[in-house]
Amino acid sequence: MTRPSTHKVAIVTGASRGIGAAVAQRLARDGFAVAVNYASSPAQAYALVAELTAAGGRAIAVKADVARGDEVRAMFDVVEAQLGKVDVLVNNAGVLKTLPLAEHSDAQYDQSFDINVRGTFNTLREAAARLNEGGRIVNFSSTTLALNMPGYAIYNATKAAVEAFTHVFAKELRGRSITVNAVAPGPIATSLFLDGKTEEQVQAFAKMPPLQRLGQPEDIASVVSFLAGPDAGWVNGQILRANGGLA
Ligand code: NAP
């Protein structure tokens, strides 16, 4: 068995790329031992772990489809055995299918809810039993929930569920000194946002916030770092929109 870490331990779901990878990099810089969860991008997850380790950090890659309760349980087992008990859970893994409600297939609906909602449920349920006292949970909503744009009904419904989990779970953990918050990013330049959009559509989104640019993964990583760190100890049950002032 690997030596348990003297660092605090963070799990970042969906950390192989995009915002999750930036969160893993930032939390490693903050001094956490980081579990880089991935589902289908092992090469990127292991490359990130190599980068974090080369920089002097402690990191492991853990495969788990967050939609699967058994895989999430096994992920916590591996992390506890290799890094130690978990202090911070970042529920970043998510998918976006932009499509009118009436055009969604059953399979597309199921995929969105399985990953975004059941995936968050699975890790929260596990965290309830396993997180260290004084721990931190950061869920992922989206600013799209405030915009009500056509094509976002199913995605927004999944993020509304995540916001509901956040408010109630914060109260259910009374007495454990664990905070539960969510970050709700505006448009961030990752494949989730960029794929399938024309350059014109991307530019239109970039002009929406008064800061007149797309967000970068690091803009969100710094918010997660705050919520996961000592300075956010009195912030609990909140949704923090980070979107350049878009909504
Ligand atoms: P992304 O670039 O598409 O990355 C998604 C990540 O989620 C990948 O690492 C992927 O890992 C992982 N993932 C997908 N399905 C998974 C599953 N079943 N189990 C475990 N991991 C899974 O997306 P992103 O833009 O970074 O988005 C991250 C979060 O921010 C999501 O919750 C998203 O809804 C939210 N968000 C994003 C934006 C935006 O504009 N980008 C705005 C608001 C909110 P694999 O490749 O290994 O499968």
Side-chain angles (χ1 to χ4, degrees):
M1 193 166 72
T2 320
R3 169 179 57 92
S5 178
T6 51
H7 299 97
K8 285 196 167 184
V9 174
I11 294 179
V12 184
T13 68
S16 49
R17 52 200 173 81
I19 296 169
V23 169
Q25 285 166 324
R26 177 59 194 259
L27 293 184
R29 264 203 285 140
D30 291 350
F32 287 94
V34 180
V36 173
N37 161 250
Y38 68 96
S40 55
S41 306
Q44 283 160 289
Y46 279 96
L48 177 58
V49 165
E51 177 196 317
L52 301 181
T53 309
R58 193 125 198 263
I60 58 170
V62 192
K63 183 179 191 326
D65 175 351
V66 293
R68 297 275 309 268
D70 55 342
E71 294 189 18
V72 167
R73 246 187 323 276
M75 171 173 73
F76 271 80
D77 289 342
V78 167
V79 175
E80 284 179 0
Q82 298 198 14
L83 298 178
K85 277 194 78 178
V86 178
D87 298 286
V88 170
L89 168 66
V90 182
N91 274 319
N92 163 82
V95 288
L96 164 66
K97 181 82 194 162
T98 317
L99 197 66
L101 182 150
E103 293 172 25
H104 264 77
S105 67
D106 289 350
Q108 286 164 335
Y109 176 94
D110 285 346
Q111 193 200 30
S112 292
F113 274 83
D114 278 350
I115 297 174
N116 296 3
V117 183
R118 188 186 296 277
T120 302
F121 161 71
N122 282 335
T123 56
L124 293 181
R125 185 171 54 179
E126 218 51 46
R130 305 218 205 194
L131 229 62
N132 275 326
E133 181 121 342
R136 300 272 200 267
I137 296 173
V138 182
N139 293 328
F140 266 69
S141 180
S142 172
T143 286
T144 56
L145 191 48
L147 300 177
N148 296 317
M149 291 180 297
Y152 286 80
I154 304 304
Y155 180 71
N156 286 358
T158 68
K159 295 305 188 182
V162 169
E163 293 201 4
F165 289 171
T166 302
H167 294 306
V168 176
F169 200 54
K171 294 184 178 174
E172 290 180 351
L173 293 183
R174 171 181 290 273
R176 302 272 309 279
S177 302
I178 296 172
T179 65
V180 186
N181 294 291
V183 58
I188 305 293
T190 66
S191 58
L192 177 138
F193 167 76
L194 296 168
D195 288 357
K197 291 192 177 72
T198 63
E199 183 54 29
E200 245 181 355
Q201 288 171 320
V202 169
Q203 286 315 318
F205 272 99
K207 288 201 188 88
M208 283 166 76
L211 296 185
Q212 292 189 304
R213 65 171 175 86
L214 288 180
Q216 296 300 319
E218 294 72 23
D219 290 317
I220 304 306
S222 57
V223 176
V224 174
S225 165
F226 165 67
L227 291 173
D231 288 346
W234 195 233
V235 182
N236 192 18
Q238 304 302 310
I239 314 299
L240 205 168
R241 286 190 195 149
N243 56 30
L246 173 56

